[in-house]
Amino acid sequence: MQASTLASRCMPTVPALARILPGGGLQSGSSYAVRNSATLAMALLAGPSATGAWCCVIGVPDFSAEAAQGFGINLERLILIPDPGSQWLSVTAALVDVVSIVLVRTPEHLAPTEWARLKARLRQRGAALITLGSWKQSDSTLGVAESAWEGLGAGSGHLRKRRMKITATQPSGRLRHAYVGLAELQGTADGTVLPGAPSLGDGDPAGSLFEPRLMKSS
Amino acid sequence: MRSTLPAAPTATRTLMFWCPDWPVTAALREHALPADTALVLVDRGEVFACSPAARQDGVRRGLRIREAQARSTGLVSLAYDASLDERAFEPVTAAVETIMPGVQVIRPGLCAIRVKGPARYYGSEEKTAGVVVDTLAAIGLTDVRIGVADGPFAAEQAARATDQLDDDAAPVVVIPPGGSPWFLSSYPLEVLEQPKLTVLLKRLGIRSLGDFAALRASDVRNRFGLEGAVAHRQAGGLDHHDVVARTPPPQLDAVADFEPPLARIDQLAFTMRTKAAAFIDTLRGAGLVCTALHVSLHTESGEVSARRWQHPRWFDADDVVDRVRWQLQGANASDHGLTSGITRVHLVPDVVEDLGDHADGLWGTGPDESIHHGLARVQSMLGHSAVLTAVIAGGRLLADRRVLIPWGDVPAGSQSPGPPARERDQPWPGRLPGPAPATVFADPRPAVVVDARGNPVDVDPRGLLSADPAFFSAGSDGGQRPVHSWAGPWPISERWWDPKGRALHRFQLVDQSGSAWLLLLEDHAWWVEASYD
């Protein structure tokens, strides 16, 4: 597929994610699939929303507005369409025309021709599409491979901090990953991580910030 | 500095008609109460106006509401609404304007008309007054007083003087031309409504308007300044006010009648299209845009469905048709509760703003304009309540803290702290600490939590856990997940004083894969409230 690398703009992205995304950030006109994490999808919305871009969430009735606010998403510029019903494609296409980022639940069925038209529209309008759930046609797939929580014991405490290993698959099939904390995604970390410290590539022991209980995600 | 009065004071023969106790009359008409109701209108805890029945019981203006209720049992009290006065007086003005031009509304309930022209047309000033009384009687307004004199001030006093007439005489007092000074001469100074001047004049030994008018104009002017000179002229029956006729406002609302009644929404939408375009064109012609619209639908069997619609920008013709359609469709089929065909659609612009305030910039108003268009399109596809914006409200359960508002119900950019924002600042004991979960299930999903031996985990009435949770299944996949770490039970009791209140226990669980879940235990049943995915 003719990639949109040539003339595509980069949208502002949370630094922790910009490091592993192809092209160094959210590219307008591209599509991203987030495999298993609404948190990650919100972190992708947060960067553009904080700079005044309009976001739209289609077909995700369980989207938590409170968590979105925690990520710095401007709720006044967030449109929710929990139930587009059978008009998924026309609603998504109509919103791709006007908003910068559209977050959708992966459609159950989308004909290749329809996807090609939606893709062309995305590129023309300079919007980015994020699908929640894995989707082969997307330019890049992100997911939380490992996750660990701090603060919860056996019957005591409450969830405080989270560390995640986030992987991003490039269109070429190359896999990049990064270890990030939830606070980094929310942009509230005290010292945002040094550029080189939790590096890309393999064999990174950065999970030692607290008790390394990173577990393989099922 | 010398400011000057108009040089040649010429009196304008004026007809003044006055509806006594207009706020009360308006409230009685608005709420369809019988005329002999003991009614008071309350403004800031005090009686603002009272009906004759209440007055007979000793209720007076300025009484505290408790005192008024003590004096008159069976007192009906309503909040005073100044805009209601204006609104209810509008048909009265319109009715008089159909028979004679040049009506000036001094305040709701009191109107001035230049009487020279109508008097020539109807034959005399008395006959003109009679015509006004008959016209107002035809719209159901029986208590009207009319005074005719030289100038508005004298005419108003003449209208008030109708109290002294016999009951069966027509409530009309006509002071012959040039007779106003004589008519006013016996009035006390208080009618000038200038308290400081009145006190001063009384100390000087001047008790009535006649005494005051007898002073030389230049002396009054030198001693009391401009206000004194104006009052002096009024006392002498020469009013510097002239009757300034109002221009009747353009008719902005639109009514569409259907005969035979329409039973299908698409028929109605199709027919309304031209009507809505004409409605919007009228507004545009008056240099206005409508930002809030009142739509009422009348059916053949007399039902009325009325609703106020707001628009994030302003209504155009398609938006109006959409609102009519949505009002009929409602959120579900039974929403509007109408059982027969639509006979009439009434569109009233509720809030109009100047077109200039909403004009597009030289290069358009940027992306927001296209957002409004795009969302309006989606709304017309899916319905008004399918496109939502979220507001964080107060509450203990996560689903309560999310309030979804249809796009356009709160105008974009209005930062008014509504009830959600006020509620949010309350303490809400029992709310969730730590980071908010990203997925909050709109409908909680059933879950199962068991201990190491496979028995269901429960909490006894004293809030003690039967056993530590060891395995749980959450969501649709149904697989048993081992509990890695957990916390709870955190009791939440909502409205414990109310039988409908809820008592729940909340748990946080982390499974072996590192995903965290928020579970609720209510009435021995487990539910997944949210997931930290």
Side-chain angles (χ1 to χ4, degrees):
Chain A
M1 188 185 290
Q2 221 170 13
S4 48
T5 46
L6 237 177
S8 62
R9 280 182 307 113
C10 204
M11 297 188 192
T13 319
V14 178
L17 291 176
R19 294 200 303 268
I20 57 167
L21 283 171
L26 272 181
Q27 306 282 332
S28 56
S30 304
S31 59
Y32 298 84
V34 177
R35 260 196 295 120
N36 51 2
S37 169
T39 305
L40 201 50
M42 281 184 192
L44 284 173
L45 291 185
S49 180
T51 56
W54 284 78
C55 304
C56 182
V57 181
I58 302 173
V60 191
D62 302 335
F63 189 86
S64 162
E66 200 171 9
Q69 199 178 38
F71 277 96
I73 295 175
N74 185 354
L75 290 188
E76 284 182 10
R77 289 174 174 244
L78 177 74
I79 312 296
L80 304 174
I81 304 180
D83 184 20
S86 57
Q87 312 199 45
W88 184 91
L89 186 68
S90 40
V91 169
T92 308
L95 282 157
V96 162
D97 279 353
V98 292
V99 304
S100 308
I101 296 205
V102 182
L103 172 66
V104 296
R105 173 81 63 197
T106 310
E108 282 168 15
H109 175 72
L110 192 63
T113 50
E114 289 172 338
W115 167 240
R117 270 163 52 205
L118 185 59
K119 180 85 188 151
R121 204 147 180 177
L122 274 178
R123 215 173 300 152
Q124 187 194 355
R125 296 287 173 178
L129 183 78
I130 302 172
T131 56
L132 206 53
S134 45
W135 200 22
K136 289 198 184 71
Q137 286 100 322
S138 61
D139 294 340
S140 174
T141 302
L142 287 91
V144 177
E146 295 165 24
S147 154
W149 281 95
E150 188 190 18
L152 202 62
S156 60
H158 69 82
L159 297 175
R160 289 174 194 278
K161 287 185 184 167
R162 185 186 190 186
R163 278 196 70 78
M164 292 174 275
K165 178 186 175 187
I166 296 174
T167 58
T169 323
Q170 313 267 350
S172 60
R174 204 175 141 226
L175 199 75
R176 295 168 107 181
H177 69 260
Y179 289 92
V180 292
L182 184 63
E184 273 174 77
L185 289 182
Q186 290 179 331
T188 54
D190 309 331
T192 327
V193 191
L194 295 172
S199 66
L200 315 172
D202 29 12
D204 188 282
S208 57
L209 224 167
F210 50 86
E211 286 306 302
R213 291 202 310 256
L214 287 179
M215 292 149 286
K216 287 284 172 208
S217 188
S218 51
Chain B
M1 192 191 81
R2 292 179 62 86
S3 42
T4 51
L5 291 171
T10 50
T12 313
R13 289 292 288 169
T14 305
L15 182 151
M16 191 72 91
F17 73 87
W18 173 52
C19 309
D21 293 332
W22 180 254
V24 171
T25 315
L28 287 174
R29 286 165 78 105
E30 172 77 11
H31 295 95
L33 295 168
D36 57 349
T37 312
L39 175 80
V40 289
L41 298 179
V42 184
D43 186 26
R44 276 164 276 178
E46 288 182 354
V47 173
F48 178 81
C50 52
S51 68
R55 201 170 293 133
Q56 275 182 356
D57 290 338
V59 179
R60 291 286 174 273
R61 185 180 171 161
L63 276 188
R64 296 196 61 78
I65 177 68
R66 294 259 174 216
E67 172 108 33
Q69 280 166 339
R71 288 189 190 180
S72 169
T73 53
L75 194 69
V76 179
S77 61
L78 296 169
Y80 172 62
D81 177 9
S83 64
L84 171 67
D85 288 2
E86 303 262 1
R87 208 162 63 228
F89 199 63
E90 182 56 34
V92 178
T93 324
V96 176
E97 269 170 350
T98 56
I99 53 162
M100 52 189 73
V103 178
Q104 180 190 11
V105 181
I106 292 170
R107 60 169 183 269
L110 188 66
C111 272
I113 304 167
R114 213 178 284 195
V115 80
K116 193 173 149 200
R120 203 158 52 202
Y121 181 78
Y122 290 109
S124 73
E125 289 169 348
E126 285 83 356
K127 282 180 185 163
T128 310
V131 169
V132 172
V133 171
D134 291 346
T135 309
L136 296 181
I139 62 165
L141 204 62
T142 47
D143 190 10
V144 181
R145 319 287 178 84
I146 291 183
V148 183
D150 305 331
F153 177 72
E156 186 184 341
Q157 299 310 323
R160 290 183 191 280
T162 51
D163 279 344
Q164 276 109 48
L165 294 176
D166 297 335
D167 282 347
D168 49 349
V172 177
V173 170
V174 178
I175 311 297
S180 295
W182 162 81
F183 168 69
L184 289 173
S185 62
S186 59
Y187 275 81
L189 290 167
E190 277 78 10
V191 296
L192 288 172
E193 291 179 357
Q194 295 214 18
K196 277 167 78 179
L197 183 68
T198 308
V199 170
L200 198 53
L201 288 173
K202 279 190 173 169
R203 287 190 188 159
L204 295 170
I206 295 169
R207 308 250 160 231
S208 69
L209 290 187
D211 297 345
F212 186 37
L215 300 176
R216 264 177 51 201
S218 56
D219 294 346
V220 172
R221 170 74 200 241
N222 289 341
R223 175 68 179 76
F224 300 106
L226 191 63
E227 291 86 23
V230 169
H232 181 252
R233 237 180 227 181
Q234 282 185 339
L238 296 169
D239 209 330
H240 75 288
H241 290 296
D242 203 351
V243 177
V244 183
R246 70 161 195 167
T247 314
Q251 194 74 21
L252 293 178
D253 59 340
V255 178
D257 286 307
F258 305 113
E259 179 61 43
L262 298 183
R264 291 175 53 88
I265 289 176
D266 48 355
Q267 281 179 332
L268 184 72
F270 187 75
T271 324
M272 278 308 291
R273 206 158 284 276
T274 48
K275 200 78 195 173
F279 168 68
I280 294 298
D281 282 347
T282 316
L283 282 172
R284 194 74 36 103
L288 298 169
V289 290
C290 172
T291 55
L293 175 74
H294 196 92
V295 178
S296 45
L297 306 164
H298 302 251
T299 68
E300 200 179 6
S301 52
E303 295 151 324
V304 180
S305 151
R307 191 188 152 165
R308 185 174 187 270
W309 294 93
Q310 284 188 323
H311 198 280
R313 299 174 73 222
W314 69 83
F315 287 99
D316 63 18
D318 290 344
D319 294 334
V320 173
V321 176
D322 275 345
R323 298 312 186 275
V324 173
R325 215 152 47 85
W326 294 341
Q327 186 161 331
L328 276 173
Q329 282 167 342
N332 48 38
S334 61
D335 201 32
H336 53 75
L338 303 180
T339 55
S340 53
I342 303 290
T343 54
R344 161 177 280 208
V345 176
H346 192 187
L347 305 172
V348 182
D350 207 21
V351 177
V352 290
E353 288 173 21
D354 196 84
L355 188 60
D357 297 341
H358 286 269
D360 287 347
L362 187 53
W363 281 279
T365 40
D368 285 8
E369 191 184 353
S370 59
I371 293 276
H372 291 300
H373 284 306
L375 293 179
R377 212 179 120 214
V378 175
Q379 272 188 324
S380 63
M381 278 195 271
L382 297 177
H384 178 242
S385 53
V387 180
L388 305 164
T389 52
V391 179
I392 311 289
R396 295 179 180 84
L397 297 180
L398 293 168
D400 295 344
R401 293 179 68 85
R402 172 177 59 184
V403 174
L404 299 173
I405 302 170
W407 170 258
D409 273 10
V410 174
S414 77
Q415 296 285 346
S416 61
R422 279 202 304 278
E423 280 180 14
R424 189 174 59 221
D425 298 337
Q426 304 295 318
W428 296 111
R431 73 169 176 193
L432 191 68
T439 299
V440 175
F441 296 109
D443 304 309
R445 301 180 176 184
V448 176
V449 181
V450 293
D451 62 9
R453 278 185 236 135
N455 299 322
V457 176
D458 204 352
V459 174
D460 69 9
R462 314 204 65 161
L464 295 174
L465 203 59
S466 65
D468 288 359
F471 297 94
F472 73 104
S473 69
S476 49
D477 52 355
Q480 290 260 332
R481 302 153 184 266
V483 175
H484 183 270
S485 52
W486 60 280
W490 300 331
I492 305 170
S493 69
E494 287 200 315
R495 294 191 292 278
W496 46 264
W497 58 91
D498 184 349
K500 286 188 210 125
R502 304 172 72 183
L504 308 103
H505 296 279
R506 192 180 249 159
F507 290 79
Q508 274 181 339
L509 301 176
V510 176
D511 65 15
Q512 287 291 0
S513 70
S515 15
W517 303 82
L518 201 61
L519 269 67
L520 293 174
L521 176 65
E522 183 179 23
D523 224 1
H524 314 294
W526 288 85
W527 302 93
V528 186
E529 186 187 14
S531 156
Y532 294 81
D533 57 356

